[in-house]
Amino acid sequence: MPLTLEDRIAARIRAVDYRDWRERVTAINGCAQPIRLFGAWQVHDQAGAVLAHHGGKVFVPCGNRRASVCVACSDRYAADAYHLMHAGLAGGSKDIPTTVTEKPRVFATLTAPSFGKVHSGRKSSRGKTLPCACGGWHHPDDPRIGGAVDDLTYDYVGSILWQANVGELWSRFIRNLKRALAQAAGYRADDFKDHARLSYAKVAEYQRRGLVHFHAVIRVDGPDGAADPTPRWATTELLEHCIQAAARAVQLDTARPDGAALRLGWGSQVDCRHIRPSSAAEVEEDGEISESRLAAYVAKYATKGTGKSEAVDKPIRSQLHLDHLRISAHHRRMIQTAWDLGDLPEYASLNLRKWAHMLGFRGHFLTKSKHYSTTFGAIRGERRTFRTLQALDRMGLDPEAVTVVNDWHYTGSGYDSDAERELATAIAEGTRQQRQRKYEREVAA
């Protein structure tokens, strides 16, 4: 009789190497898909003698941002995204001055256009559920929400081509915005960089219909960046007006498979909210959002997947793979459309088969301009440096007098069994709950 999962878990816990294995998993907060390495970490003095040695097998976090793939790593990604975003909003860290709170800045949302009617669960201002385009009413958890009301008339080809080109639409929006600001100030577009700099950070969020929104913090700096005072002519009201105009002016011409012309642009709904300093009054006025709340929103958006199922967080390998996905009919149709278009030579540059699982979206989920704030790489580097210095301090070693040598080799990914995966999931949940309780105690204090 085969062993049950409970039996396999019990056997793994009784194994002689379990304590060592658990320590390695706890060190990566219960990562769901760790990278397995073998090698050594050594500390050498100036003469080359080994002062400290740690070798053998280690786990390294997978680093996946999606909560549906790895909760532990998505929590870390969200924390890093919060600090990256908050530094550009409030300053006072990551080499960004606190004076950024005085600069013209808005939180803008650019949406996708309509490609056909979809089921919705809209509510009135009083919280009453409004009828859907199909004539019925939908509960917020109704799986039909976001799907096409009529899949025969819904423009799946147009939606995938829009999504595949949304990065270029954003680039054209930024160029239009710089041009609009320059014209409002009386400068030529090419001279904008001599008088001001546009800094931004944006995050992509999937809607239930499978298309992305872009949420962006957009700030006007002086020509030398965040520390440079913004020109007097640049105001929050002017920035908002120019954002609206720049979004409306974006156009990108392409063609459908049959050769018919297709003009792509942003949706008609462009939302702009003013950003209130977190040090101001606690109550947000209409149309405002605080720095801390905004940074938390972005961190949440950055760890979301496509909202379909965990099975589609990995690339599609074949038509057979696609046929066996457990997803909604609407999202299946979008993935199928991207897969089919990816086989046509005229769309080869879009690499649609590679990105079919992302419904054609080919961009990064969180991007920023060079001078908005710090980078993910810098944040991770600071964390590695802190841990190294912490280890050297425990050993009583001077960082300036030693050399740290890392020699690690890849041996595989993931855990060896379903029992190990279950135990790692429990460790991850325990770590998360422990962190939440600590946070609640700090807030209460």
Side-chain angles (χ1 to χ4, degrees), residues 359-380:
L359 310 181
F361 178 61
R362 304 180 297 140
H364 293 287
F365 276 78
L366 197 160
T367 59
K368 52 174 280 298
S369 61
K370 182 178 179 180
H371 295 276
Y372 173 79
S373 70
T374 187
T375 65
F376 280 112
I379 292 174
R380 292 164 186 155

Side-chain angles (χ1 to χ4, degrees), residues 197-215:
R197 181 187 296 275
L198 202 63
S199 296
Y200 66 85
K202 69 173 176 65
V203 64
E205 181 200 13
Y206 277 97
Q207 301 171 272
R208 292 185 69 169
R209 60 175 169 150
L211 297 173
V212 294
H213 275 172
F214 277 170
H215 304 282

Side-chain angles (χ1 to χ4, degrees), residues 123-135:
K123 291 183 179 295
S124 68
S125 58
R126 296 184 178 181
K128 181 180 179 181
T129 301
L130 300 174
C132 173
C134 69

Side-chain angles (χ1 to χ4, degrees), residues 37 54-55 79 136 148 159 200 241 255 257 260 281 299 325 342 348 353 362 392 423 445:
L37 303 178
H54 172 73
S159 68
Y200 66 85
H241 172 77
L325 293 175
R353 287 202 163 181
R362 304 180 297 140
L392 294 177
L423 288 166

Side-chain angles (χ1 to χ4, degrees), residues 176 187 190 237 317 376 385 401:
N176 287 352
Y187 304 124
D190 291 343
E237 290 71 23
R317 299 304 181 189
F376 280 112
T385 299

Side-chain angles (χ1 to χ4, degrees), residues 157-436:
V157 169
S159 68
I160 292 299
L161 291 177
W162 181 89
Q163 191 119 284
N165 287 283
V166 72
E168 177 60 25
L169 293 177
W170 173 262
S171 296
R172 295 188 181 201
F173 162 71
I174 290 297
R175 290 198 294 270
N176 287 352
L177 180 54
K178 291 178 180 178
R179 187 179 300 114
L181 287 168
Q183 290 176 350
Y187 304 124
R188 294 189 311 122
D190 291 343
D191 295 334
F192 177 78
K193 62 182 182 299
D194 298 325
H195 301 275
R197 181 187 296 275
L198 202 63
S199 296
Y200 66 85
K202 69 173 176 65
V203 64
E205 181 200 13
Y206 277 97
Q207 301 171 272
R208 292 185 69 169
R209 60 175 169 150
L211 297 173
V212 294
H213 275 172
F214 277 170
H215 304 282
V217 173
I218 302 176
R219 188 183 73 216
V220 182
D221 296 328
D224 292 329
D228 198 8
T230 303
R232 290 187 177 182
W233 53 261
T235 64
T236 301
E237 290 71 23
L238 175 63
L239 176 59
E240 181 177 350
H241 172 77
C242 290
I243 287 173
Q244 296 282 353
R248 289 194 299 269
V250 171
Q251 292 182 349
L252 189 156
D253 292 320
T254 185
R256 297 180 181 275
D258 61 3
L262 175 64
R263 174 162 289 181
L264 305 175
W266 295 105
S268 58
Q269 182 181 353
V270 179
D271 181 58
C272 290
R273 301 180 66 180
H274 293 187
I275 301 171
R276 177 180 58 81
S278 297
S279 58
E282 287 299 317
V283 179
E284 295 175 2
E285 298 181 5
D286 290 342
E288 284 189 336
I289 185 170
S290 67
E291 295 162 347
S292 297
R293 189 178 175 195
L294 175 52
Y297 276 169
V298 169
K300 179 188 73 173
Y301 294 146
T303 58
K304 289 177 64 177
T306 58
K308 302 182 300 304
S309 76
E310 188 170 333
V312 197
D313 279 322
K314 295 181 179 179
I316 306 299
R317 299 304 181 189
S318 66
Q319 182 63 52
L320 183 63
H321 180 189
L322 198 163
D323 292 340
H324 285 81
L325 293 175
R326 300 180 61 183
I327 52 178
S328 71
H330 178 69
H331 289 122
R332 180 182 299 281
R333 183 74 177 273
M334 292 188 74
I335 293 175
Q336 185 68 65
T337 301
W339 184 261
D340 293 341
L341 291 175
D343 196 38
L344 301 178
E346 57 264 42
Y347 303 121
S349 62
L350 300 180
N351 215 359
L352 282 169
R353 287 202 163 181
K354 178 180 178 180
W355 300 106
H357 69 299
M358 302 306 292
L359 310 181
F361 178 61
R362 304 180 297 140
H364 293 287
F365 276 78
L366 197 160
T367 59
K368 52 174 280 298
S369 61
K370 182 178 179 180
H371 295 276
Y372 173 79
S373 70
T374 187
T375 65
F376 280 112
I379 292 174
R380 292 164 186 155
E382 289 173 3
R383 187 158 52 238
R384 286 193 297 269
T385 299
F386 173 79
R387 288 176 176 172
T388 299
L389 294 176
Q390 197 176 43
L392 294 177
D393 183 64
R394 285 196 301 266
M395 292 183 287
L397 299 175
D398 180 6
E400 300 297 327
V402 298
T403 301
V404 177
V405 178
N406 282 287
D407 182 23
W408 299 101
H409 304 278
Y410 173 80
T411 61
S413 301
Y415 294 105
D416 290 335
S417 66
D418 56 351
E420 288 191 349
R421 287 192 295 272
E422 288 294 323
L423 288 166
T425 299
I427 291 171
E429 182 60 27
T431 302
R432 201 179 204 195
Q433 291 179 3
Q434 192 176 44
R435 186 167 55 243
Q436 181 63 29

